[in-house]
């Protein structure tokens, strides 16, 4: 699972952090440029994070053993070439939510069927590398969770109305919820209540003017993700 979590992080760093919105706009204006940029960013993160495992034999789709770097190239080709196939937003009911879940589910399944799981046997730990798990959790709590929430709002209201400033603010709010859950002992319970109360007051005075769903789904999701990562740090 070492390789799985590294490639999992590389995938979301590419699509949810660096090129979630930008790559779609670039691909609309210049498809070739968009594809090249998408590929370069994905391969940079994949080869950087998976170095040390690139010459190891990976079971590509459980069909044939191939070197890791070949599996990454093949997954990258699949991911980038099929990206447009999973764009249903505005085309059907719940299209943005369907895009979010279907695109990510298929790509993560592809990764799952390629990585060498015998590395897990060498470590005996499903979450062997805490720093990778922490980074994956932070990306999930800030960008991926936000992506999913905005997808619901786009389907509900038919417009991508959340501005850059609002997205940044909500990311910071979720990041703090996530980080509070990683504090040692039981101090996190007090700080969690204090931070929740602070955010609710900010909403009351309209400093944070977002819907109930956006706020509470983000807060709850970040807390749950933080709790799961907490288990890795304190119970493993």
């Amino acid at each position: 699972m070492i390789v799985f979590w590294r490639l999992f992080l590389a995938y979301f760093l590419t699509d949810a952090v660096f090129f979630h919105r930008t790559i779609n706009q670039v691909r609309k204006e210049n498809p070739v440029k968009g594809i090249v940029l998408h590929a370069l960013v994905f391969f940079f993160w994949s080869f950087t994070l998976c170095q040390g495992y690139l010459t190891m034999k990976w079971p590509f789709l459980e069909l044939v053993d191939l070197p890791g770097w070949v599996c990454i190239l093949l997954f990258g080709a699949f991911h980038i070439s099929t990206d447009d196939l999973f764009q249903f937003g505005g085309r059907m009911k719940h299209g943005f939510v369907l895009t979010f879940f279907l695109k990510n589910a298929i790509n993560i399944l592809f990764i799952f069927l390629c990585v060498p799981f015998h590395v897990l046997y060498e470590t005996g730990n499903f979450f062997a590398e805490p720093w990778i798990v922490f980074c994956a959790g932070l990306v999930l709590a800030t960008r991926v969770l936000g992506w999913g929430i905005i997808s619901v709002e786009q389907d509900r209201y038919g417009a991508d109305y959340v501005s850059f400033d609002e997205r940044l603010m909500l990311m910071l709010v979720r990041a703090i919820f996530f980080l509070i859950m990683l504090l040692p002992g039981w101090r996190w319970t007090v700080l969690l209540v204090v931070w929740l109360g602070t955010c609710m007051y900010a909403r009351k005075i309209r400093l944070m003017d977002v819907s109930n769903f956006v706020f509470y789904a983000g807060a709850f999701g970040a807390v749950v993700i933080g709790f799961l990562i907490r288990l890795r740090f304190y119970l493993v």
Side-chain angles (χ1 to χ4, degrees), residues 80-234:
I80 295 166
S81 63
T82 60
D83 195 54
D84 288 338
L85 296 178
F86 304 123
Q87 302 296 329
F88 305 108
R91 302 179 185 176
M92 62 178 67
K93 188 177 182 180
H94 308 306
F96 288 103
V97 173
L98 181 61
T99 295
F100 173 77
F101 283 106
L102 187 61
K103 174 184 176 180
N104 290 324
I106 290 178
N107 281 283
I108 291 172
L109 176 62
F110 196 112
I111 294 173
F112 189 83
L113 294 175
C114 290
V115 297
F117 284 99
H118 62 269
V119 178
L120 170 64
Y121 307 143
E122 296 174 3
T123 63
N125 193 329
F126 190 79
F127 302 103
E129 297 178 298
W131 71 275
I132 287 288
V133 173
F134 168 78
C135 290
L138 184 60
V139 170
L140 286 173
T142 54
R143 292 297 289 132
V144 180
L145 180 59
W147 177 8
I149 291 171
I150 293 301
S151 297
V152 174
E153 291 290 278
Q154 286 177 303
D155 282 332
R156 291 174 65 188
Y157 301 113
D160 187 9
Y161 64 91
V162 180
S163 67
F164 173 79
D165 291 341
E166 289 176 318
R167 289 197 304 273
L168 181 60
M169 178 180 61
L170 291 170
M171 283 174 54
L172 292 174
V173 168
R174 291 192 297 269
I176 293 174
F177 274 115
F178 171 81
L179 294 172
I180 286 174
M181 298 303 298
L182 302 184
L183 293 173
W186 291 97
R187 70 189 69 176
W188 63 270
T189 56
V190 176
L191 290 177
L192 186 63
V193 172
V194 171
W195 182 239
L196 178 61
T198 302
C199 293
M200 292 176 68
Y201 177 73
R203 292 190 68 224
K204 182 178 180 180
I205 64 175
R206 304 187 71 85
L207 181 63
M208 186 163 52
D209 189 14
V210 295
S211 69
N212 285 332
F213 173 76
V214 170
F215 174 70
Y216 287 108
F220 178 77
V223 168
V224 170
I225 294 169
F227 178 77
L228 295 175
I229 302 303
R230 178 186 179 83
L231 296 180
R232 165 60 185 90
F233 281 94
Y234 297 110

